[in-house]
Amino acid sequence: MIIANNLSLVYPDKTQALIDVDLNIKAGELVYITGPSGSGKTSLLKLFMGIEYPSTGSLSVMGKPIKNNSKGNIRKIRRNIGPVFQEFKLIKGRTSLENVMIGMRFLGLTPKCIKKEANEALEKVGLGHKKLSKVEHLSWGETQRVAIARAVARKPSLILADEPTGNLDYDNAINILGLLKSFRNENTTVIITTHATHLIMEEQNATFISVDGGRIRIERKG
Amino acid sequence: MRSFLFNMGYFIKESGRIIRLNLLSNIFSVIGTGLILLLLGIIVTGTSVGNRLVVMLNEEAEVNAYFSKELTSEEVEQLIEKITNLDGVRALRIVDEDEAKASMQEILGEEAKILELFDDNPFEAFIEIRIDIEVMNSVIEELRGVDGIEYVRDNQEILEKIKDITYALEILGYLMIAAVGITTVIILSHMIRQGIYNNKEQINTLKLLGSPGIFIGFPYILTGVFLTLLGGIIAVIAMVLLINGAYNSLGATIPFIPLPPKDELITNMVLWLPVLSLILGFFGSLFGLSSIGEKS
């Protein structure tokens, strides 16, 4: 699913975000990327999405190289990714349903199918009753669930969730992690970044990537 | 393509939303585009009237060839046939001595009395030749070389001026059309850029979700085309009113200007102004869309 060799990322302002990262994440894995703020977790996700390009080394996502690939091909890769952004990136002035549907419109589905799948996704995240609410009228937790619904409704091969537990209390954080984990299957890899390691300590069947100072350490359980 | 067709309803809705998001600014843009297209319509109509005048002047371009008095009528016939076959000769006819005198009397008006001082008719018969102004010089040269022709009165200076005016009018028309076209495209592209700027977060999100450029850009193209078309319709209505008004007031006061038929002008406006506005709208939107770029 994701293979990185000697991957490094240096931002234009010379900040070294990642150093010599070697990774091999397989299809269907559940991966937690942990580390303190500014450790490079989000940078890693940005590389996976082709938002940033590797400075050195190689990176392929779903068999496609990220470095030296055309913008068009990067977008094609993104169509197979369900991202849940830290700041959600939902479109204001639109309903929950419209926000979920907009991420599916360019996947070649019929309008009827898009609506059905979007409704189902909202039901799955427990927001079927708020599908016609404008996203700016939802609570933080509800907004996050809409973002998750948008990600999973696309039936992606890879779900990337950036700090989905940030700003949530313990119970809600556990619920959100449980919800994201529920979308993991043999075809769908789920990668979650979090700095709240206490929430995932009990996890027995996952890969843990801890990032610190741009370097990573991998531990597999189960 | 399939995805594109499936989303046609979405594109139209999005386009409506983009217009509503900045309604007042878009209304001003429509009015501005309408006024520019109206200006273009006026220029094209003016050019059309000017061209008609030029064509008329071109058709009137003529030279007079005087032939030897010794020629028999048979030889004059042969001479006419020879001139007729020259390239650039549109038509010709013989003006005899009496007609030459009568036409001079007409030109002189009250002063024509002076002609009574002559015992005999002082005018000579000549051949009046209408020529193609574009090849004027070569025709005149050839005429001078024809056996039997003694003198060619060519009004070359006037004909050159007509030619220059024709050329200047044509260039002016094209320049004005180009200027108005470019202005429309710039206004429209600015309007589209404004729309893009207002929706930049949405556009960025769509890029992150993997949306193709055409999916992001098409609603903006639709918006640009729709707004320019509206401007075009406003311009057409104003032009029809203007042409009607102008024909009613000018037609009677300056009859010497060869105006084209009113219906022909109106039909042309109704047909090409909306088509032109569609084309300008499309290119203006495309130009404006270039600001979306591919940067994520």
Side-chain angles (χ1 to χ4, degrees):
Chain A
M1 176 61 66
I2 298 174
I3 298 171
N5 290 311
N6 296 320
L7 176 70
S8 295
L9 174 64
V10 183
Y11 284 111
D13 65 357
K14 308 284 180 218
T15 305
Q16 180 92 45
L18 293 164
I19 308 161
D20 289 336
V21 172
D22 288 306
L23 263 180
N24 188 352
I25 298 172
K26 295 187 174 65
E29 271 193 86
L30 169 65
V31 181
Y32 289 107
I33 302 175
T34 62
S37 294
S39 58
K41 302 187 296 292
T42 302
S43 294
L44 206 49
L45 289 199
K46 281 182 176 175
L47 283 167
F48 294 165
M49 284 195 70
I51 299 171
E52 297 292 346
Y53 291 161
S55 306
T56 57
S58 68
L59 171 67
S60 72
V61 176
M62 290 174 262
K64 307 270 168 35
I66 292 294
K67 200 174 179 181
N68 300 327
N69 209 340
S70 70
K71 311 268 178 177
N73 283 337
I74 293 289
R75 295 227 187 139
K76 276 184 192 163
I77 295 170
R78 287 181 191 166
R79 278 171 226 159
N80 270 315
I81 298 175
V84 182
F85 301 103
Q86 202 169 353
E87 65 281 26
F88 309 138
K89 292 195 185 295
L90 294 175
I91 300 163
K92 286 178 189 145
R94 314 291 178 97
T95 65
S96 308
L97 185 64
E98 283 170 334
N99 264 284
V100 176
M101 284 167 67
I102 208 166
M104 304 165 72
R105 291 201 180 272
F106 39 86
L107 302 178
L109 306 169
T110 62
K112 204 175 164 185
C113 179
I114 291 172
K115 200 165 186 178
K116 184 176 160 277
E117 302 275 344
N119 272 311
E120 278 175 17
L122 280 168
E123 290 291 344
K124 267 186 208 164
V125 300
L127 273 180
H129 63 294
K130 295 233 168 155
K131 65 178 182 182
L132 298 178
S133 301
K134 296 251 166 85
V135 286
E136 59 269 32
H137 299 149
L138 300 177
S139 70
W140 182 274
E142 287 171 334
T143 312
Q144 190 167 43
R145 283 169 185 272
V146 176
I148 293 172
R150 184 181 64 188
V152 300
R154 291 147 60 91
K155 301 224 178 333
S157 306
L158 175 63
I159 294 174
L160 297 176
D162 192 12
E163 293 283 3
T165 56
N167 297 309
L168 292 180
D169 58 40
Y170 181 82
D171 288 343
N172 273 318
I174 289 291
N175 284 340
I176 287 292
L177 284 180
L179 182 64
L180 283 167
K181 276 183 338 189
S182 71
F183 297 110
R184 172 204 188 178
N185 59 45
E186 58 184 23
N187 297 318
T188 309
T189 307
V190 177
I191 300 177
I192 302 166
T193 72
T194 180
H195 62 269
T197 46
H198 62 285
L199 296 171
I200 53 170
M201 272 163 58
E202 304 299 316
E203 195 64 62
Q204 290 304 313
N205 186 17
T207 300
F208 296 86
I209 299 173
S210 60
V211 190
D212 200 3
R215 294 185 186 276
I216 68 159
R217 195 163 50 81
I218 302 171
E219 187 191 342
R220 285 198 159 86
K221 280 189 190 175
Chain B
M1 189 64 193
R2 207 171 56 139
S3 193
F4 189 81
L5 291 175
F6 284 156
N7 282 302
M8 206 39 97
Y10 163 78
F11 291 141
I12 293 168
K13 255 189 182 173
E14 272 297 287
S15 174
R17 200 189 60 81
I18 294 165
I19 293 169
R20 281 197 307 277
L21 198 68
N22 223 340
L23 190 61
L24 196 63
S25 166
N26 286 326
I27 289 172
F28 286 135
S29 299
V30 168
I31 295 170
T33 314
L35 288 174
I36 287 175
L37 288 169
L38 173 66
L39 192 65
L40 184 66
I42 292 170
I43 291 164
V44 171
T45 308
T47 311
S48 165
V49 173
N51 282 345
R52 215 176 166 82
L53 185 68
V54 164
V55 168
M56 197 193 78
L57 288 172
N58 270 342
E59 281 168 0
E60 292 298 316
E62 61 180 40
V63 293
N64 298 335
Y66 291 84
F67 48 89
S68 168
K69 283 179 193 169
E70 266 99 71
L71 293 182
T72 62
S73 56
E74 206 171 273
E75 284 168 329
V76 171
E77 288 292 325
Q78 283 169 358
L79 186 63
I80 285 174
E81 202 182 319
K82 203 183 275 181
I83 295 172
T84 309
N85 291 330
L86 292 179
D87 276 344
V89 171
R90 289 179 195 271
L92 54 81
R93 70 186 187 97
I94 296 243
V95 176
D96 64 21
E97 294 88 342
D98 293 337
E99 191 183 342
K101 187 181 176 186
S103 102
M104 185 50 79
Q105 280 171 328
E106 202 180 308
I107 292 166
L108 293 174
E110 285 185 13
E111 305 298 322
K113 285 177 201 160
I114 197 165
L115 297 176
E116 288 166 16
L117 297 174
F118 295 94
D119 294 333
D120 299 320
N121 183 352
F123 295 96
E124 291 174 22
F126 61 90
I127 307 168
E128 188 182 272
I129 309 162
R130 294 211 167 159
I131 57 167
D132 182 350
I133 204 163
E134 292 296 322
V135 287
M136 170 183 75
N137 290 334
S138 65
V139 176
I140 292 169
E141 252 346 280
E142 281 188 82
L143 276 173
R144 282 183 179 139
V146 173
D147 278 345
I149 295 294
E150 289 188 331
Y151 168 64
V152 177
R153 201 176 70 194
D154 55 24
N155 298 324
Q156 203 160 353
E157 222 170 277
I158 295 166
L159 293 177
E160 285 286 358
K161 271 185 186 155
I162 290 174
K163 201 173 157 184
D164 289 348
I165 291 169
T166 312
Y167 187 65
L169 276 176
E170 209 173 318
I171 296 287
L172 192 71
Y174 287 135
L175 280 179
M176 296 290 257
I177 289 166
V180 170
I182 290 167
T183 312
T184 311
V185 167
I186 288 172
I187 285 188
L188 207 74
S189 66
H190 177 71
M191 191 174 79
I192 296 298
R193 275 165 196 264
Q194 187 120 24
I196 288 165
Y197 183 78
N198 292 336
N199 289 286
K200 62 175 191 273
E201 280 185 28
Q202 177 184 333
I203 290 168
N204 197 36
T205 301
L206 285 170
K207 284 181 183 175
L208 289 172
L209 292 171
S211 169
I214 183 75
F215 184 87
I216 299 173
F218 194 69
Y220 293 94
I221 294 179
L222 265 187
T223 305
V225 167
F226 176 71
L227 293 180
T228 332
L229 184 63
L230 262 185
I233 291 168
I234 291 174
V236 166
I237 294 168
M239 269 315 288
V240 170
L241 294 174
L242 211 66
I243 291 170
N244 275 321
Y247 270 73
N248 289 342
S249 57
L250 289 181
T253 49
I254 41 173
F256 54 86
I257 291 184
L259 293 173
K262 187 172 80 174
D263 290 344
E264 184 189 305
L265 270 188
I266 289 176
T267 310
N268 283 344
M269 286 295 136
V270 171
L271 286 178
W272 75 257
L273 258 185
V275 173
L276 186 74
S277 64
L278 281 177
I279 294 168
L280 290 176
F282 180 73
F283 284 106
S285 310
L286 273 190
F287 190 50
L289 269 181
S290 60
S291 63
I292 284 187
E294 283 287 316
K295 208 177 161 192
S296 297

